[in-house]
Amino acid sequence: MVSRFILGICILCIGKSFAQNDLDAIRYSRLGNGGSSRNIAMGGAFASLGADVSCSSTNPAGLGLYTKGEMQFSAGLRFTHNTGKINGKENRVDDANFTFNSFGMAMVLRDKGQSDRHILAFSNNQLVNFSNSSQILSYTNNNSIVKDMMNKAIGKNVNDLDFSYEGAAFNVYLIDTLNANYISFVDLKRTVLQSREIKTAGKINDLNFSYAYALDDQYYFGLSLGIPKISYTSTTTHTEFDDKDSMQIVITNTATQAFTSTYIDGIDAYYPDKLGFNSLTYTEFFTTNGSGINLKAGVTARVNDHFRFSVYMHSPTLYNLRDVYYFSLAATFDADKKNPIETKYPENGGTYTYKIITPPRYGFSSGITIGKKMAMGVDYELIDYRKAKLSSSNVSDFAGVNAVIESKYSIGHNFKLGVEYNLKPVMIRGGYFMQGSPFGAAFVGKFVRHTGSLGFGFRTRSDFYFDFAWLKSITQEDYVFFSTITQNASIKFDNSMLCATIGLKF
């Protein structure tokens, strides 16, 4: 046995930064459709149709189609119905929250005696809402987190353990050493009830200062300075509970060989209250805040009265981010179920600052109009997720992570389609948005997100307008529990939103 007092001294001498990884870079590179309810209802396919403040976040040249000034505000209610699946068992979690979608204003300026227009715009569009709650629930089936912690500990000196994970298990007596081997106070062959809850919150709001120029009402040029702001919080809570009270007072060594009662008696002399596992709760928490900067540029050409074509691009976004994090583990044993043994690392929480560079984005769009009766937009975007990077003041910190990004991910494809039909004074809209997987799959496969939308709007004689939209988004993703144990799990994300926009033309 190793003295807990000595280990406590060692913890004070060891520093550890929160482990940022490839998931952070990809999370902030996958952007959805935000902005006005009109834009949302039409699947975000507005790059060529234009005359909507949402264009500042996609194709700023679309702002050049404004002929009158505009101010608008959008908000809504978001509902999540997420289902975790493991070992054939499904568990659904429902949640709801208020969401801000957009605020924006565009002003149209004309040179005296000239038909050309200058458009100045300011907008704040929410491109991602991270609010989600999921739970994966099943019996361990020989896949306890303690087994993963044991596997991570093998071959390490006690002082070299990761105190955010296997070292935490050592601190709360879930694992220990005996005869130079790591052992567990949990009978790893027994089955206990296991739950993994994942809660996330936050958003990416895209603040834009935009300029567009309309030349002869045929060619439109636009530029946006973007200042996206990120707030993201993740709380992952893993629990295991001997709900059937079937845990025997036995321990196993790294070869999962049962010890004799002689060893049991010896261990009992050290820790008489640490036998008979009851429950554990392991929590990973981190929150990220920061802002970035990028440029967006686009060109739209009116080929004729019915057809428009656009190309646009977004530069890489450079984010400066700060994480606050901690890891905690609590365990209870049969002798004292009401008083858990707890540890937290770092004791007062840790902080870490770093940068993320998201990949550039390229878009191609076409718009078709039939008089003032109907409009249809089709947009395609390409994003090379292999170009995402993490960096810090220490160049070597993310060399391995960036190598993983370059080898693991691929080119992503987004497709948007929207239709609007004008039944004055009411307009009916529909849309579809396919966000391809960062691994390259499009339309079919895991990590591909499908979003369908419907909406309507109407204009008043006083230049006020009201738009409404409903959307439903579905995607399925694999979920990895542990690094040393294979355990197949997945989460189906099912989100919907009702939103409204009020606006004024001037």
Side-chain angles (χ1 to χ4, degrees):
M1 297 295 171
V2 178
S3 168
R4 305 288 167 169
F5 174 77
I6 294 176
L7 179 61
I9 299 295
C10 294
I11 289 176
L12 298 178
C13 302
I14 296 176
K16 178 181 180 295
S17 66
F18 181 77
Q20 292 77 19
N21 54 43
D22 57 298
L23 299 180
D24 297 286
I26 302 304
R27 179 188 305 118
Y28 305 132
S29 300
R30 299 188 77 194
L31 304 179
N33 289 328
S36 69
S37 298
R38 185 186 184 197
N39 182 66
I40 291 171
M42 295 181 65
F46 253 89
S48 288
L49 296 177
D52 191 286
V53 291
S54 307
C55 292
S56 58
S57 292
T58 52
N59 175 25
L63 299 170
L65 283 104
Y66 271 115
T67 58
K68 299 177 66 174
E70 180 182 55
M71 180 183 295
Q72 63 93 359
F73 173 80
S74 304
L77 293 173
R78 186 170 180 270
F79 306 90
T80 59
H81 318 281
N82 300 330
T83 302
K85 184 176 182 179
I86 185 172
N87 300 328
K89 180 178 175 60
E90 294 186 347
N91 194 68
R92 172 169 153 162
V93 177
D94 298 318
D95 201 0
N97 64 287
F98 171 82
T99 177
F100 158 83
N101 288 339
S102 176
F103 171 78
M105 181 172 64
M107 294 182 294
V108 179
L109 306 174
R110 289 180 172 86
D111 293 332
K112 189 173 183 180
Q114 300 291 327
S115 60
D116 298 347
R117 300 187 301 275
H118 304 270
I119 294 86
L120 301 176
F122 163 80
S123 67
N124 188 5
N125 301 315
Q126 186 169 118
L127 301 183
V128 183
N129 188 305
F130 292 117
S131 295
N132 269 301
S133 297
S134 307
Q135 183 182 43
I136 304 172
L137 181 68
S138 180
Y139 283 92
T140 53
N141 192 24
N142 201 30
N143 286 323
S144 169
I145 192 174
V146 181
K147 183 178 179 179
D148 189 56
M149 291 172 166
M150 284 274 288
N151 292 341
K152 299 282 282 187
I154 293 172
K156 294 181 181 179
N157 183 281
V158 169
N159 296 339
D160 297 328
L161 295 177
D162 181 347
F163 297 111
S164 68
Y165 196 61
E166 67 269 15
F170 189 91
N171 280 346
V172 300
Y173 304 95
L174 290 173
I175 65 174
D176 209 326
T177 56
L178 181 66
N179 297 336
N181 288 322
Y182 283 100
I183 60 173
S184 171
F185 286 107
V186 179
D187 185 353
L188 301 178
K189 294 182 179 180
R190 295 283 174 171
T191 296
V192 298
L193 186 63
Q194 183 181 75
S195 171
R196 179 69 64 94
E197 294 183 356
I198 309 103
K199 294 186 177 182
T200 60
K203 55 189 176 293
I204 298 180
N205 282 355
D206 189 33
L207 186 67
N208 283 282
F209 301 90
S210 307
Y211 168 76
Y213 177 63
L215 176 62
D216 296 331
D217 216 15
Q218 186 175 3
Y219 300 102
Y220 310 88
F221 307 90
L223 186 68
S224 285
L225 172 65
I227 306 175
K229 293 184 176 294
I230 288 176
S231 64
Y232 180 77
T233 299
S234 173
T235 306
T236 302
T237 305
H238 181 98
T239 61
E240 295 184 9
F241 175 48
D242 186 14
D243 61 326
K244 299 178 181 178
D245 201 21
S246 62
M247 191 67 68
Q248 295 180 350
I249 303 178
V250 296
I251 58 176
T252 59
N253 62 9
T254 56
T256 66
Q257 173 186 355
F259 285 102
T260 65
S261 59
T262 302
Y263 287 110
I264 296 295
D265 293 339
I267 292 171
D268 188 55
Y270 278 98
Y271 308 117
D273 59 339
K274 305 302 183 296
L275 298 176
F277 169 76
N278 177 253
S279 69
L280 67 84
T281 300
Y282 176 69
T283 301
E284 297 177 348
F285 170 87
F286 75 94
T287 183
T288 303
N289 287 280
S291 61
I293 188 168
N294 61 41
L295 286 174
K296 308 176 187 75
V299 177
T300 297
R302 187 191 297 269
V303 179
N304 53 47
D305 289 342
H306 305 292
F307 184 73
R308 305 166 195 168
F309 179 76
S310 300
V311 293
Y312 58 93
M313 70 88 64
H314 299 180
S315 74
T317 300
L318 173 62
Y319 283 109
N320 289 289
L321 303 175
R322 181 176 184 268
D323 284 359
V324 177
Y325 63 92
Y326 70 81
F327 307 85
S328 66
L329 179 61
T332 62
F333 297 85
D334 289 341
D336 193 4
K337 297 179 181 179
K338 295 183 178 180
N339 295 299
I341 306 166
E342 300 175 311
T343 185
K344 180 181 177 181
Y345 182 85
E347 185 176 353
N348 296 314
T351 61
Y352 190 73
T353 57
Y354 59 105
K355 300 179 187 294
I356 286 181
I357 302 174
T358 66
R361 181 179 304 255
Y362 304 95
F364 308 88
S365 169
S366 62
I368 299 173
T369 60
I370 302 175
K372 295 184 178 181
K373 273 293 183 182
M374 193 179 81
M376 182 173 71
V378 179
D379 295 2
Y380 166 75
E381 294 179 340
L382 180 149
I383 312 101
D384 189 349
Y385 291 103
R386 296 170 298 186
K387 302 297 184 182
K389 302 291 181 185
L390 289 86
S391 66
S392 70
S393 56
N394 187 347
V395 177
S396 63
D397 280 354
F398 295 112
V401 172
N402 291 332
V404 167
I405 293 173
E406 191 169 350
S407 63
K408 180 178 178 181
Y409 295 96
S410 185
I411 295 175
H413 311 271
N414 295 342
F415 175 79
K416 307 175 185 181
L417 173 67
V419 178
E420 178 182 76
Y421 193 76
N422 192 349
L423 299 171
K424 289 186 178 180
V426 177
M427 284 169 281
I428 308 299
R429 306 180 180 112
Y432 169 70
F433 172 40
M434 186 285 300
Q435 185 176 42
S437 162
F439 303 104
F443 291 102
V444 178
K446 293 181 179 178
F447 301 97
V448 176
R449 182 174 294 129
H450 300 275
T451 303
S453 52
L454 296 171
F456 68 94
F458 60 92
R459 299 328 191 220
T460 68
R461 294 181 179 179
S462 58
D463 283 329
F464 275 99
Y465 66 87
F466 302 89
D467 292 323
F468 302 89
W470 169 87
L471 69 79
K472 187 177 183 65
S473 177
I474 296 175
T475 186
Q476 183 167 319
E477 301 181 3
D478 292 329
Y479 185 84
V480 178
F481 266 73
F482 310 118
S483 61
T484 69
I485 303 173
T486 300
Q487 184 160 252
N488 296 324
S490 65
I491 301 176
K492 179 182 178 182
F493 294 95
D494 184 342
N495 305 327
S496 59
M497 182 171 65
L498 291 171
C499 57
T501 297
I502 181 171
L504 172 66
K505 299 280 188 177
F506 58 88

